[in-house]
Coordinates of all heavy atoms in Angstrom, one line a residue:
M59 N -12.5 -20.7 3.3 CA -11.6 -21.6 2.4 C -10.5 -22.1 3.3 O -9.9 -21.4 4.1 CB -11.0 -20.7 1.3 CG -11.9 -20.6 0.1 SD -11.0 -20.2 -1.4 CE -10.4 -18.6 -0.9
P60 N -10.3 -23.4 3.1 CA -9.2 -24.0 3.9 C -7.8 -23.6 3.4 O -7.6 -23.3 2.2 CB -9.4 -25.5 3.7 CG -10.1 -25.6 2.4 CD -10.9 -24.4 2.2
I61 N -6.9 -23.6 4.3 CA -5.5 -23.3 3.9 C -4.7 -24.6 3.9 O -4.8 -25.4 4.8 CB -4.8 -22.3 4.9 CG1 -5.5 -21.0 4.8 CG2 -3.3 -22.2 4.6 CD1 -5.1 -20.0 5.9
Y62 N -4.1 -24.9 2.8 CA -3.3 -26.1 2.6 C -1.8 -25.8 2.7 O -1.4 -24.7 2.3 CB -3.6 -26.8 1.3 CG -5.0 -27.3 1.2 CD1 -5.9 -26.7 0.5 CD2 -5.3 -28.5 1.9 CE1 -7.2 -27.1 0.4 CE2 -6.6 -28.9 1.9 CZ -7.6 -28.3 1.1 OH -8.9 -28.7 1.1
E63 N -1.1 -26.7 3.3 CA 0.4 -26.5 3.4 C 1.1 -27.4 2.4 O 0.8 -28.6 2.3 CB 0.8 -26.7 4.8 CG 2.0 -25.9 5.2 CD 2.4 -26.1 6.6 OE1 1.6 -26.7 7.4 OE2 3.5 -25.7 7.0
Y64 N 2.0 -26.8 1.7 CA 2.8 -27.6 0.7 C 4.3 -27.4 1.0 O 4.7 -26.4 1.6 CB 2.5 -27.1 -0.7 CG 1.1 -27.4 -1.2 CD1 0.1 -26.4 -1.0 CD2 0.9 -28.6 -1.8 CE1 -1.1 -26.7 -1.5 CE2 -0.4 -28.9 -2.2 CZ -1.4 -27.9 -2.1 OH -2.7 -28.2 -2.5
K65 N 5.1 -28.3 0.5 CA 6.5 -28.1 0.6 C 7.2 -28.8 -0.6 O 6.6 -29.7 -1.2 CB 7.1 -28.6 1.9 CG 7.1 -30.1 2.0 CD 8.0 -30.5 3.2 CE 8.0 -32.0 3.4 NZ 8.9 -32.4 4.4
A66 N 8.3 -28.4 -0.9 CA 9.0 -28.9 -2.1 C 9.4 -30.4 -1.9 O 9.8 -30.8 -0.8 CB 10.3 -28.1 -2.4
K67 N 9.2 -31.2 -3.0 CA 9.5 -32.6 -2.9 C 11.1 -32.7 -2.9 O 11.6 -33.5 -2.2 CB 9.0 -33.2 -4.2 CG 8.1 -34.5 -3.9 CD 7.6 -35.1 -5.2 CE 6.2 -35.6 -5.1 NZ 5.7 -36.2 -6.3
D68 N 11.6 -31.9 -3.8 CA 13.1 -32.0 -3.9 C 13.7 -30.6 -3.6 O 13.6 -29.7 -4.3 CB 13.4 -32.3 -5.4 CG 14.8 -32.4 -5.7 OD1 15.6 -32.4 -4.7 OD2 15.2 -32.6 -6.8
K69 N 14.2 -30.6 -2.4 CA 14.8 -29.3 -1.9 C 15.9 -28.8 -2.7 O 16.1 -27.6 -2.7 CB 15.3 -29.5 -0.4 CG 14.2 -29.4 0.6 CD 14.7 -29.2 2.0 CE 13.6 -28.9 3.0 NZ 14.2 -28.4 4.3
E70 N 16.6 -29.7 -3.4 CA 17.7 -29.2 -4.2 C 17.3 -28.3 -5.4 O 18.0 -27.4 -5.8 CB 18.5 -30.5 -4.8 CG 18.9 -31.5 -3.8 CD 20.1 -30.9 -2.9 OE1 21.0 -30.4 -3.5 OE2 19.9 -31.0 -1.7
N71 N 16.1 -28.6 -5.9 CA 15.6 -27.9 -7.1 C 14.4 -27.0 -6.7 O 13.5 -26.9 -7.5 CB 15.2 -28.9 -8.2 CG 16.4 -29.7 -8.6 OD1 17.4 -29.1 -9.0 ND2 16.3 -31.0 -8.6
S72 N 14.4 -26.5 -5.5 CA 13.3 -25.6 -5.2 C 13.7 -24.2 -4.9 O 14.9 -23.9 -4.7 CB 12.6 -26.2 -3.9 OG 13.6 -26.2 -2.9
C73 N 12.8 -23.3 -5.0 CA 13.1 -21.9 -4.7 C 12.9 -21.6 -3.2 O 12.4 -22.5 -2.5 CB 12.2 -21.0 -5.6 SG 10.4 -21.1 -5.1
A74 N 13.2 -20.4 -2.8 CA 13.1 -20.1 -1.4 C 11.7 -20.1 -0.9 O 11.4 -20.4 0.2 CB 13.7 -18.6 -1.2
Y75 N 10.8 -19.9 -1.8 CA 9.3 -19.9 -1.5 C 8.8 -21.3 -1.0 O 8.2 -21.4 0.0 CB 8.5 -19.4 -2.7 CG 7.0 -19.3 -2.4 CD1 6.5 -18.4 -1.5 CD2 6.1 -20.1 -3.2 CE1 5.2 -18.3 -1.3 CE2 4.8 -20.0 -3.0 CZ 4.3 -19.1 -2.0 OH 2.9 -19.0 -1.8
C76 N 9.2 -22.3 -1.8 CA 8.7 -23.6 -1.5 C 9.7 -24.5 -0.7 O 9.3 -25.7 -0.3 CB 8.2 -24.3 -2.8 SG 9.6 -24.6 -3.9
K77 N 10.9 -24.1 -0.6 CA 11.9 -24.9 0.1 C 11.5 -25.6 1.4 O 11.6 -26.8 1.5 CB 13.2 -24.0 0.3 CG 14.4 -24.9 0.6 CD 15.6 -24.0 0.7 CE 16.8 -24.9 0.8 NZ 17.9 -24.5 -0.1
D78 N 11.0 -24.8 2.3 CA 10.6 -25.4 3.6 C 9.1 -25.7 3.5 O 8.8 -26.9 3.6 CB 10.9 -24.4 4.7 CG 12.4 -24.3 4.9 OD1 13.1 -25.3 4.8 OD2 12.9 -23.1 5.1
S79 N 8.3 -24.7 3.5 CA 6.9 -25.0 3.3 C 6.2 -23.6 3.0 O 6.7 -22.6 3.4 CB 6.2 -25.7 4.5 OG 6.2 -24.8 5.6
F80 N 5.0 -23.7 2.4 CA 4.3 -22.5 2.2 C 2.8 -22.8 2.3 O 2.4 -24.0 2.1 CB 4.6 -21.8 0.8 CG 4.2 -22.6 -0.4 CD1 3.0 -22.5 -1.0 CD2 5.1 -23.5 -0.9 CE1 2.7 -23.2 -2.1 CE2 4.8 -24.3 -2.0 CZ 3.6 -24.1 -2.6
E81 N 2.0 -21.8 2.5 CA 0.6 -22.1 2.7 C -0.2 -21.5 1.5 O 0.2 -20.5 0.9 CB 0.0 -21.4 4.0 CG 0.6 -22.2 5.2 CD 0.2 -21.5 6.5 OE1 -0.1 -20.3 6.4 OE2 0.3 -22.1 7.5
E82 N -1.2 -22.2 1.1 CA -2.0 -21.9 -0.1 C -3.4 -21.9 0.2 O -3.9 -22.9 0.7 CB -1.6 -22.8 -1.3 CG -2.2 -22.4 -2.6 CD -1.5 -21.3 -3.3 OE1 -0.3 -21.0 -2.9 OE2 -2.0 -20.7 -4.2
L83 N -4.1 -20.8 0.0 CA -5.5 -20.8 0.3 C -6.3 -21.4 -1.0 O -6.1 -20.9 -2.1 CB -6.0 -19.3 0.5 CG -7.3 -19.0 1.2 CD1 -7.2 -19.5 2.6 CD2 -7.5 -17.5 1.2
Q84 N -7.0 -22.4 -0.7 CA -7.7 -23.1 -1.9 C -9.1 -23.4 -1.6 O -9.5 -23.7 -0.4 CB -6.9 -24.4 -2.2 CG -5.6 -24.2 -2.9 CD -5.1 -25.6 -3.3 OE1 -4.7 -26.4 -2.6 NE2 -5.3 -25.9 -4.6
Q85 N -9.9 -23.4 -2.6 CA -11.3 -23.9 -2.5 C -11.2 -25.4 -2.1 O -10.3 -26.1 -2.5 CB -12.0 -23.8 -3.9 CG -12.1 -22.4 -4.5 CD -13.3 -21.7 -3.9 OE1 -14.0 -22.2 -3.1 NE2 -13.5 -20.5 -4.4
L86 N -12.2 -25.9 -1.4 CA -12.2 -27.3 -1.0 C -12.2 -28.2 -2.2 O -11.7 -29.2 -2.2 CB -13.5 -27.6 -0.2 CG -13.3 -27.8 1.3 CD1 -14.6 -28.1 2.0 CD2 -12.3 -28.9 1.6
S87 N -12.9 -27.7 -3.3 CA -13.1 -28.5 -4.5 C -11.9 -28.4 -5.4 O -11.8 -29.1 -6.4 CB -14.3 -28.1 -5.2 OG -14.3 -26.7 -5.5
A88 N -11.0 -27.5 -5.1 CA -9.8 -27.3 -6.0 C -8.9 -28.4 -5.9 O -8.7 -29.0 -4.8 CB -9.1 -26.0 -5.6
P89 N -8.3 -28.8 -7.0 CA -7.3 -29.9 -7.0 C -6.0 -29.5 -6.2 O -5.7 -28.3 -6.2 CB -7.0 -30.2 -8.5 CG -7.3 -28.9 -9.2 CD -8.4 -28.2 -8.4
S90 N -5.4 -30.4 -5.7 CA -4.1 -30.2 -5.0 C -3.1 -29.7 -5.9 O -3.0 -30.1 -7.1 CB -3.6 -31.5 -4.3 OG -4.5 -31.9 -3.4
L91 N -2.3 -28.7 -5.4 CA -1.2 -28.3 -6.3 C -0.1 -29.4 -6.3 O 0.1 -30.1 -5.4 CB -0.6 -27.0 -5.6 CG -1.4 -25.8 -5.5 CD1 -0.6 -24.7 -4.9 CD2 -1.9 -25.3 -6.9
T92 N 0.5 -29.5 -7.5 CA 1.6 -30.5 -7.6 C 2.9 -29.8 -8.0 O 3.9 -30.4 -7.9 CB 1.2 -31.5 -8.8 OG1 0.9 -30.8 -10.0 CG2 0.0 -32.4 -8.4
K93 N 2.8 -28.5 -8.3 CA 3.9 -27.7 -8.7 C 4.0 -26.4 -7.9 O 2.9 -25.8 -7.7 CB 4.0 -27.4 -10.2 CG 4.3 -28.6 -11.0 CD 4.1 -28.2 -12.5 CE 4.5 -29.4 -13.4 NZ 4.2 -29.0 -14.8
C94 N 5.1 -26.0 -7.6 CA 5.3 -24.7 -6.9 C 4.8 -23.6 -7.9 O 5.2 -23.6 -9.1 CB 6.8 -24.5 -6.6 SG 7.1 -22.8 -6.0
P95 N 4.0 -22.7 -7.4 CA 3.5 -21.6 -8.3 C 4.6 -20.7 -8.8 O 4.4 -19.9 -9.7 CB 2.4 -20.9 -7.5 CG 2.7 -21.3 -6.1 CD 3.4 -22.6 -6.1
R96 N 5.7 -20.7 -8.1 CA 6.8 -19.8 -8.5 C 7.9 -20.5 -9.3 O 8.2 -20.0 -10.4 CB 7.5 -19.2 -7.2 CG 6.4 -18.4 -6.4 CD 7.0 -17.5 -5.5 NE 6.0 -16.8 -4.7 CZ 6.2 -15.9 -3.8 NH1 7.4 -15.5 -3.5 NH2 5.2 -15.3 -3.2
C97 N 8.4 -21.6 -8.9 CA 9.5 -22.2 -9.6 C 9.1 -23.5 -10.4 O 9.9 -24.0 -11.1 CB 10.7 -22.5 -8.7 SG 10.3 -23.8 -7.5
K98 N 7.9 -23.9 -10.2 CA 7.3 -25.0 -11.0 C 8.0 -26.4 -10.6 O 7.8 -27.4 -11.3 CB 7.4 -24.8 -12.5 CG 6.8 -23.5 -13.0 CD 5.3 -23.5 -12.9 CE 4.8 -22.1 -13.4 NZ 3.5 -21.8 -12.7
S99 N 8.7 -26.4 -9.5 CA 9.2 -27.7 -9.1 C 8.2 -28.5 -8.3 O 7.3 -27.9 -7.8 CB 10.5 -27.5 -8.3 OG 10.2 -26.9 -7.1
P100 N 8.3 -29.8 -8.3 CA 7.3 -30.6 -7.7 C 7.1 -30.4 -6.2 O 8.1 -30.2 -5.5 CB 7.7 -32.1 -8.0 CG 9.0 -32.0 -8.7 CD 9.4 -30.6 -8.9
I101 N 5.9 -30.3 -5.7 CA 5.6 -30.1 -4.3 C 4.7 -31.2 -3.8 O 4.0 -31.8 -4.6 CB 5.0 -28.7 -4.1 CG1 3.8 -28.5 -4.9 CG2 6.0 -27.6 -4.3 CD1 3.0 -27.3 -4.6
V102 N 4.7 -31.3 -2.5 CA 3.8 -32.3 -1.9 C 2.9 -31.6 -0.8 O 3.4 -30.6 -0.2 CB 4.5 -33.5 -1.2 CG1 5.0 -34.5 -2.2 CG2 5.6 -33.0 -0.3
K103 N 1.7 -32.0 -0.7 CA 0.8 -31.5 0.3 C 1.2 -32.0 1.7 O 1.5 -33.2 1.8 CB -0.6 -31.8 0.0 CG -1.6 -31.1 0.8 CD -3.0 -31.7 0.6 CE -3.9 -30.8 -0.3 NZ -5.2 -31.4 -0.5
I104 N 1.3 -31.2 2.7 CA 1.6 -31.6 4.0 C 0.2 -31.9 4.7 O -0.6 -31.0 4.8 CB 2.4 -30.6 4.8 CG1 3.7 -30.3 4.1 CG2 2.6 -31.1 6.2 CD1 4.4 -29.1 4.6
I105 N 0.0 -33.1 5.1 CA -1.2 -33.4 5.8 C -1.0 -33.1 7.3 O -0.2 -33.7 8.0 CB -1.6 -34.9 5.7 CG1 -1.4 -35.4 4.3 CG2 -2.9 -35.2 6.3 CD1 -2.5 -35.0 3.3
S106 N -1.7 -32.1 7.8 CA -1.6 -31.8 9.2 C -2.8 -32.5 10.0 O -3.9 -32.2 9.7 CB -1.6 -30.3 9.5 OG -2.6 -29.7 8.7
A107 N -2.4 -33.5 10.8 CA -3.4 -34.2 11.5 C -4.1 -33.4 12.5 O -3.5 -32.7 13.3 CB -2.8 -35.5 12.1
P108 N -5.4 -33.4 12.5 CA -6.1 -32.6 13.6 C -5.9 -33.3 14.9 O -5.9 -34.5 15.1 CB -7.6 -32.8 13.2 CG -7.7 -34.0 12.3 CD -6.3 -34.1 11.7
S109 N -5.7 -32.4 15.9 CA -5.5 -33.0 17.3 C -6.8 -33.4 17.9 O -7.8 -32.7 17.9 CB -4.7 -32.0 18.1 OG -5.5 -30.8 18.2
I110 N -6.8 -34.6 18.4 CA -8.0 -35.1 19.0 C -7.9 -35.1 20.5 O -7.5 -36.1 21.1 CB -8.4 -36.5 18.5 CG1 -8.3 -36.5 17.0 CG2 -9.8 -36.9 18.9 CD1 -8.2 -37.9 16.4
G111 N -8.2 -33.9 21.1 CA -8.2 -33.7 22.6 C -7.3 -34.5 23.5 O -7.8 -35.3 24.3
G112 N -6.0 -34.3 23.4 CA -5.1 -34.7 24.4 C -4.8 -36.2 24.4 O -5.2 -36.9 23.5
S113 N -4.0 -36.6 25.4 CA -3.5 -38.0 25.4 C -4.5 -38.9 26.0 O -5.5 -38.5 26.6 CB -2.2 -38.0 26.2 OG -2.5 -37.6 27.6
K114 N -4.1 -40.2 25.9 CA -5.0 -41.2 26.4 C -5.2 -41.2 27.9 O -6.3 -41.4 28.4 CB -4.4 -42.6 26.0 CG -5.4 -43.7 26.1 CD -4.9 -45.1 25.8 CE -5.9 -46.2 26.0 NZ -6.2 -46.3 27.5
S115 N -4.1 -40.8 28.6 CA -4.2 -40.8 30.1 C -5.2 -39.7 30.6 O -5.9 -39.9 31.5 CB -2.8 -40.6 30.7 OG -2.3 -39.3 30.3
S116 N -5.2 -38.6 29.9 CA -6.1 -37.5 30.3 C -7.5 -37.9 30.0 O -8.5 -37.5 30.7 CB -5.8 -36.2 29.6 OG -6.1 -36.2 28.2
F117 N -7.7 -38.8 28.9 CA -9.0 -39.3 28.6 C -9.5 -40.2 29.8 O -10.6 -40.1 30.2 CB -9.0 -40.1 27.3 CG -10.4 -40.7 27.1 CD1 -11.4 -40.0 26.5 CD2 -10.6 -42.1 27.4 CE1 -12.7 -40.6 26.3 CE2 -11.8 -42.7 27.1 CZ -12.8 -42.0 26.6
D118 N -8.6 -41.0 30.3 CA -8.9 -41.9 31.4 C -9.3 -41.1 32.6 O -10.2 -41.4 33.3 CB -7.7 -42.8 31.8 CG -7.6 -44.0 30.8 OD1 -8.5 -44.2 30.0 OD2 -6.6 -44.8 31.0
D119 N -8.5 -40.0 32.9 CA -8.9 -39.1 34.0 C -10.2 -38.5 33.9 O -11.0 -38.5 34.8 CB -7.8 -38.0 34.1 CG -6.5 -38.5 34.7 OD1 -6.5 -39.6 35.2 OD2 -5.5 -37.8 34.5
K120 N -10.5 -38.1 32.7 CA -11.9 -37.5 32.4 C -13.0 -38.5 32.7 O -14.0 -38.2 33.3 CB -12.0 -37.0 31.0 CG -11.5 -35.6 30.8 CD -11.6 -35.1 29.3 CE -10.5 -34.2 28.9 NZ -10.4 -34.2 27.4
A121 N -12.7 -39.7 32.2 CA -13.7 -40.8 32.4 C -13.9 -41.1 33.9 O -15.0 -41.3 34.4 CB -13.3 -42.1 31.6
K122 N -12.8 -41.1 34.6 CA -12.8 -41.4 36.0 C -13.5 -40.3 36.7 O -14.4 -40.6 37.6 CB -11.3 -41.4 36.5 CG -11.2 -42.0 37.9 CD -9.7 -42.0 38.2 CE -9.4 -42.3 39.7 NZ -8.0 -42.3 39.9
N123 N -13.2 -39.1 36.4 CA -13.9 -37.9 37.0 C -15.4 -37.9 36.7 O -16.2 -37.5 37.5 CB -13.3 -36.6 36.6 CG -11.9 -36.4 37.2 OD1 -11.5 -37.1 38.2 ND2 -11.1 -35.6 36.5
A124 N -15.7 -38.4 35.6 CA -17.2 -38.5 35.2 C -17.9 -39.6 35.8 O -19.1 -39.8 35.6 CB -17.3 -38.5 33.7
G125 N -17.2 -40.4 36.6 CA -17.8 -41.5 37.3 C -17.8 -42.8 36.6 O -18.5 -43.8 37.0
F126 N -17.1 -42.9 35.5 CA -17.0 -44.2 34.7 C -16.0 -45.1 35.3 O -15.0 -44.7 35.9 CB -16.7 -43.9 33.3 CG -17.8 -43.3 32.5 CD1 -17.7 -41.9 32.1 CD2 -18.9 -44.0 32.1 CE1 -18.7 -41.3 31.4 CE2 -19.9 -43.4 31.4 CZ -19.8 -42.0 31.1
H127 N -16.3 -46.4 35.2 CA -15.3 -47.3 35.7 C -14.7 -48.0 34.4 O -15.4 -48.3 33.5 CB -16.0 -48.4 36.6 CG -16.4 -47.8 37.9 ND1 -15.6 -47.6 38.9 CD2 -17.6 -47.3 38.2 CE1 -16.2 -47.1 39.9 NE2 -17.5 -46.9 39.5
K128 N -13.4 -48.3 34.5 CA -12.8 -48.9 33.4 C -12.5 -50.4 33.8 O -12.0 -50.6 34.9 CB -11.5 -48.2 33.1 CG -10.7 -48.8 31.9 CD -9.5 -48.0 31.6 CE -8.7 -48.6 30.5 NZ -7.6 -47.7 30.2
L129 N -13.0 -51.2 33.0 CA -12.7 -52.7 33.3 C -11.6 -53.2 32.4 O -11.5 -52.9 31.2 CB -14.0 -53.5 32.9 CG -15.2 -53.1 33.8 CD1 -16.4 -53.9 33.3 CD2 -15.0 -53.4 35.3
Q130 N -10.7 -53.8 33.0 CA -9.6 -54.4 32.3 C -9.7 -55.9 32.3 O -9.8 -56.5 33.4 CB -8.3 -53.9 32.9 CG -7.1 -54.3 32.0 CD -5.8 -53.7 32.5 OE1 -5.6 -53.6 33.7 NE2 -5.0 -53.1 31.6
K131 N -9.5 -56.5 31.2 CA -9.6 -57.9 31.1 C -8.3 -58.5 31.7 O -7.2 -58.2 31.2 CB -9.7 -58.3 29.6 CG -10.3 -59.7 29.4 CD -10.6 -60.0 28.0 CE -11.3 -61.3 27.8 NZ -11.6 -61.6 26.4
I132 N -8.5 -59.3 32.7 CA -7.3 -59.9 33.3 C -7.1 -61.4 33.0 O -6.1 -62.0 33.3 CB -7.2 -59.6 34.8 CG1 -8.5 -60.1 35.5 CG2 -7.0 -58.2 35.1 CD1 -8.4 -60.1 37.0
G133 N -8.1 -62.0 32.5 CA -8.0 -63.4 32.2 C -9.2 -63.9 31.4 O -10.0 -63.0 31.0
K134 N -9.4 -65.1 31.2 CA -10.5 -65.7 30.5 C -11.8 -65.3 31.2 O -12.1 -65.9 32.3 CB -10.3 -67.2 30.4 CG -10.4 -67.7 29.0 CD -10.3 -69.2 28.9 CE -10.1 -69.6 27.5 NZ -9.9 -71.1 27.4
G135 N -12.5 -64.4 30.7 CA -13.8 -64.1 31.2 C -13.7 -63.3 32.6 O -14.7 -63.1 33.2
E136 N -12.5 -62.9 33.0 CA -12.4 -62.2 34.3 C -12.1 -60.8 34.0 O -11.3 -60.4 33.1 CB -11.2 -62.8 35.1 CG -11.6 -64.1 35.8 CD -10.4 -64.6 36.5 OE1 -9.4 -65.1 35.9 OE2 -10.4 -64.5 37.8
Y137 N -12.7 -59.9 34.8 CA -12.4 -58.5 34.6 C -12.1 -57.9 36.0 O -12.6 -58.3 37.0 CB -13.7 -57.8 34.1 CG -13.9 -58.1 32.6 CD1 -14.7 -59.3 32.3 CD2 -13.4 -57.4 31.6 CE1 -14.9 -59.6 31.0 CE2 -13.6 -57.7 30.3 CZ -14.3 -58.8 30.0 OH -14.5 -59.2 28.6
E138 N -11.2 -57.0 35.9 CA -10.7 -56.3 37.1 C -11.2 -54.8 37.0 O -11.0 -54.2 36.0 CB -9.2 -56.4 37.2 CG -8.6 -55.6 38.4 CD -7.1 -55.6 38.3 OE1 -6.6 -55.2 37.3 OE2 -6.4 -56.1 39.2
T139 N -11.7 -54.3 38.1 CA -12.0 -52.9 38.1 C -10.8 -52.1 38.4 O -10.2 -52.3 39.4 CB -13.1 -52.6 39.2 OG1 -14.2 -53.5 39.0 CG2 -13.6 -51.2 39.1
K140 N -10.4 -51.3 37.4 CA -9.2 -50.5 37.6 C -9.3 -49.3 38.5 O -8.4 -48.9 39.2 CB -8.7 -50.0 36.2 CG -7.8 -51.0 35.6 CD -7.0 -50.4 34.4 CE -5.7 -49.9 34.8 NZ -5.0 -49.2 33.7
Y141 N -10.5 -48.7 38.5 CA -10.8 -47.6 39.5 C -12.3 -47.5 39.6 O -13.0 -48.0 38.9 CB -10.1 -46.3 39.1 CG -10.3 -45.9 37.6 CD1 -11.5 -45.4 37.1 CD2 -9.2 -46.0 36.7 CE1 -11.6 -45.1 35.8 CE2 -9.3 -45.6 35.4 CZ -10.6 -45.2 34.9 OH -10.7 -44.8 33.7
Ligands
ZN283 ZN1 9.3 -23.0 -5.6

């Protein structure tokens, strides 16, 4: 079961539980929570973006090490080999 993270929409009207954020174990098919299970104040789901293997430069390095060449367009129909 995935764990979803929620936090209070309105910090002023939230309890200690939902004030910053809390995690809720939910079925994939279960609807998102809209209220704090403790104080019933509105909450929002925090979308945590999955990390996709490092920065762009490290991808370039990997491609370079793997023997790929990167072509950069330098003008109309002209390409320059970067490495
Ligand atoms: Zn709460």
Side-chain angles (χ1 to χ4, degrees):
M59 273 201 298
I61 294 171
Y62 295 103
E63 207 175 349
Y64 293 93
K65 69 169 183 172
K67 232 182 217 178
D68 183 6
K69 276 197 173 191
E70 304 292 308
N71 296 307
S72 62
C73 67
Y75 182 64
C76 63
K77 194 174 185 131
D78 292 318
S79 69
F80 64 92
E81 290 174 343
E82 188 77 14
L83 202 63
Q84 283 190 284
Q85 299 276 3
L86 254 182
S87 54
S90 299
L91 296 180
T92 54
K93 286 175 179 175
C94 173
R96 299 201 183 179
C97 67
K98 310 289 178 205
S99 68
I101 53 171
V102 284
K103 191 192 258 180
I104 301 169
I105 314 283
S106 46
S109 58
I110 312 163
S113 63
K114 196 182 174 293
S115 61
S116 73
F117 174 81
D118 277 356
D119 285 346
K120 274 182 213 158
K122 192 177 171 182
N123 292 336
F126 288 106
H127 292 277
K128 184 175 176 177
L129 296 176
Q130 190 171 41
K131 202 172 185 181
I132 53 169
K134 235 181 188 175
E136 282 180 286
Y137 290 87
E138 175 188 56
T139 307
K140 272 193 91 185
Y141 48 74

